[in-house]
Every structure is written in C-alpha cells, then in structure tokens.
Amino acid sequence: MVLIAALAALGVPALTGTAEASNGVPGVDVSNWTGEVDWSTVTSGGGKFAFVHATEGSDWTSPAFQSQYGGAAGAGLVRGAYHFALPNSSEGTQQAEHFLANGGAWVADGLTLPGVLDLEDNPYKDRNGLNTCYNLTPEQMVTWIKDFTTIYKRRTGRNAIIYTTTSWWRTCTGDSTKFRANPLWLARWGTEPGELPKGWTKHTFWQSADKGTLVGGQDSFNGTESQLKALANPPAEVNVGGTARGRKTFVLSLANTGPHPLTDIRVDGRAFGGKIAKAPKGCKFSGTAVRCLIPKINVGKKLNFVFLVKPKAAGSVGIRFTVGEVKVTLKA
C-alpha cells in the first residue's frame, strides 16, 4: 500500500490553576461554564485558536456551543469542537455519532480543526460510584476509544485529536501505543508539558492551565501559525495499492483516506509481459498502454478496478501504474 500524498446537566467540572504557555501558538478552550465570550479580547490578546465544548456522553449538548463556536469563527480564530467522553454510559460509536451530529463534524472551510475526544478522570465518582477509569479495564478502554475514533475518521476523513493527561492514559489504557495517528492535546498545568504518554513522541496541543490572561483554559499549539492552519485544512489524500490474481487479472485499489472528495483522478498504466485485453469503464487502452479518468471518490470510500492482460507464453507479467506522483507495480 502506498500513500499519496456544565453540571446543570452534564459538563466538565471547574478546575483550578494558573499558568502561561511558554511557547508555540497561543489559544484557549471554553465550555458552558465559561459563559459568553468576548472573542475580540482573545484575538487582541494574541489568541489564534479555540476549542469549544460541544457534547458529553450520548445525549448532552452544551447550550453555549453555537454562540461560542460561531463567535470564535466570526473573530477569525481557527476553532474546533470537543466531546467529553463518558465511556461507562454508552458505546464509543454512539458517542461519536452524537458528537458528529451536534457540532463535532469537520468541514473544509479553513477554520475548523479536527474534533477532540476528551479523556480524563471520572468527575462523577460520587454520583456513579465508578473509579477514575469508569470501571473499564485498559483493554476495554482501548476498544472504546478505537470505536469512537474509527467512526470519526470514517465520517470526516480526519483523525480525532485526543485530549488526556499522561497519568490517566497510563492508568486507564495501559499506556496504549495504538493511537499514534491521532494528534495529542496534552493536559498538564505548569511551565512545561513534561513526559508524554508512550504512544506519542510529541504533543500537538498543550493545556498549561485552566485560566490566565486569556478567557478559558490556556493552550498552545506546538508549531507555527501556518502549520496550525494546515491542520485545519490539510490536502487531499489517497491510498494506492492492488493485487495480482494470477497471470491475467490485476486489481488496482484507490482509497480516499483524506478529508476531501477526490475528483478527476488520472491513472496511467503500462503492461509488461503481455498486452491489455480489458479495462474498466472510463479507461481507454491500446496494446500495452491504458489510461483512466476516475470522476470522483468520496471521503472514506475505496474503489477497485480490474484489468485483464493477455500474457505471453512465459516470463513475468504485470502492469505498472502511475497515479499522480505515485507509482505502483502489480506483478504476477
């Protein structure tokens, strides 16, 4: 496989601590507890992005989300939504769907960051009698997270950001390394991010305090402002691969694993050890050459294209394909 390119209902409990992010691009995170936000003070104070609490569990939505989320965008901030996970209350797939339907869906407008899965200590221990990890084993927690992130990726083409602390991740997932592809938003109040969970070699965002000079939680992006904008609006992406089924049949696979629909995809192929005998609809072939134009592949979709070759009596046989800048050879 080749790669181209609020507690009135439910809410995050109030926390304490003050610090300033020491480097990176500054930003904030807000919730229903924050209330009405004067976003102009965030931008005038140097803030460049915001995360807004959208949902929790499988049925709660923040009453402040729409005004906060829209206000951040109106002020020109790059913004994203976050979901506070309650792994004990329903399946990861169900909570992902709730999040996606209530503000968490990514859109390609240049201002929207991937959605966030907020994983932290159970704040309702006195209410539900469960431990820090919601009484899930590490294996069960990893499965729950996988279910949530898989649905999010399938529906948006983006890897959800994971917000957590190093101690919670170690205790509740066994320091799982299965989510390296998901950007890490590390929560650690202080002047340095400190040690990371085992699965990551760097953090993408860091929450250094719940209050400071800007409204809400104090955060920073570990990179430049242009890199932050690129995270909000990444390029299209397609996986190219395939297989040979004997000496006559070759299957080229194209999967849209990115966040944008793919259109007008050109595929060029050249057979060796024989001539092209049949090609899919949308392809033209003559002798050993074939050229195809694929109108569209939607996000999360995979298409297979079958080519038949009339091989010579002996010797290797196959097709060399070029898709964009990627070359792949299918050989019997």
Side-chain angles (χ1 to χ4, degrees):
M1 195 68 76
V2 183
L3 177 65
I4 300 186
L7 217 49
L10 290 177
V12 179
L15 302 172
T16 59
T18 303
E20 299 295 333
S22 60
N23 50 36
V25 180
V28 300
D29 62 89
V30 296
S31 72
N32 187 45
W33 286 104
T34 311
E36 186 175 351
V37 178
D38 181 354
W39 291 105
S40 64
T41 63
V42 176
T43 56
S44 64
K48 300 297 183 181
F49 68 90
F51 285 114
V52 182
H53 188 192
T55 55
E56 182 168 326
S58 57
D59 56 9
W60 185 85
T61 59
S62 171
F65 175 74
Q66 293 296 340
S67 63
Q68 292 175 338
Y69 198 68
L77 294 170
V78 176
R79 82 284 196 254
Y82 73 89
H83 173 81
F84 190 87
L86 293 179
N88 64 296
S89 67
S90 57
E91 298 296 329
T93 52
Q94 184 178 352
Q95 294 196 27
E97 294 289 1
H98 176 55
F99 181 47
L100 286 160
N102 292 279
W106 181 83
V107 292
D109 58 1
L111 289 175
T112 305
L113 292 164
V116 179
L117 175 58
D118 182 344
L119 295 158
E120 52 185 283
D121 290 349
N122 172 17
Y124 307 120
K125 295 177 183 177
D126 293 341
R127 184 187 303 177
N128 58 32
L130 305 179
N131 64 18
T132 290
C133 304
Y134 303 87
N135 282 12
L136 269 66
T137 66
E139 293 77 13
Q140 291 171 326
M141 187 66 76
V142 168
T143 297
W144 192 97
I145 298 169
K146 186 67 174 178
D147 289 345
F148 184 104
T149 56
T150 297
I151 288 293
Y152 194 86
K153 172 74 171 182
R154 184 181 303 158
R155 293 278 301 277
T156 67
R158 305 302 309 273
N159 288 309
I161 297 167
I162 291 179
Y163 169 99
T164 193
T165 67
T166 298
S167 62
W168 187 93
W169 193 260
R170 286 175 174 170
T171 300
C172 298
T173 74
D175 222 5
S176 174
T177 61
K178 294 184 177 181
F179 301 93
R180 292 188 178 97
N182 299 83
L184 173 65
W185 179 9
L186 183 70
R188 184 180 185 271
W189 297 346
T191 57
E192 296 292 339
E195 191 174 0
L196 304 180
K198 187 177 179 180
W200 290 275
T201 58
K202 69 174 185 176
H203 67 278
T204 300
F205 294 93
W206 168 36
Q207 184 191 60
S208 58
D210 79 315
K211 58 185 177 181
T213 57
L214 301 178
V215 67
Q218 309 298 284
D219 301 284
S220 62
F221 171 73
N222 187 16
T224 65
E225 189 172 349
S226 62
Q227 290 172 327
L228 174 67
K229 291 180 179 179
L231 181 60
N233 191 30
E237 181 179 289
V238 60
N239 277 338
V240 182
T243 186
R245 298 175 180 171
R247 287 170 52 80
K248 296 181 179 181
T249 306
F250 301 86
V251 182
L252 179 70
S253 301
L254 303 180
N256 185 348
T257 56
H260 306 284
L262 300 169
T263 58
D264 299 331
I265 307 156
R266 177 173 159 175
V267 177
D268 291 296
R270 178 74 67 174
F272 57 91
K275 295 181 179 182
I276 304 291
K278 188 176 181 180
K281 181 179 179 180
C283 299
K284 295 181 179 180
F285 64 95
S286 178
T288 61
V290 62
R291 174 172 292 177
C292 310
L293 185 62
I294 302 163
K296 188 175 183 179
I297 306 178
N298 288 321
V299 173
K301 297 299 182 180
K302 179 180 179 179
L303 300 180
N304 293 322
F305 303 91
V306 179
F307 299 84
L308 300 182
V309 171
K310 184 178 181 180
K312 295 177 181 179
S316 62
V317 59
I319 311 177
R320 297 184 178 94
F321 289 103
T322 301
V323 184
E325 297 180 354
V326 169
K327 299 181 185 299
V328 60
T329 298
L330 305 182
K331 181 179 178 181

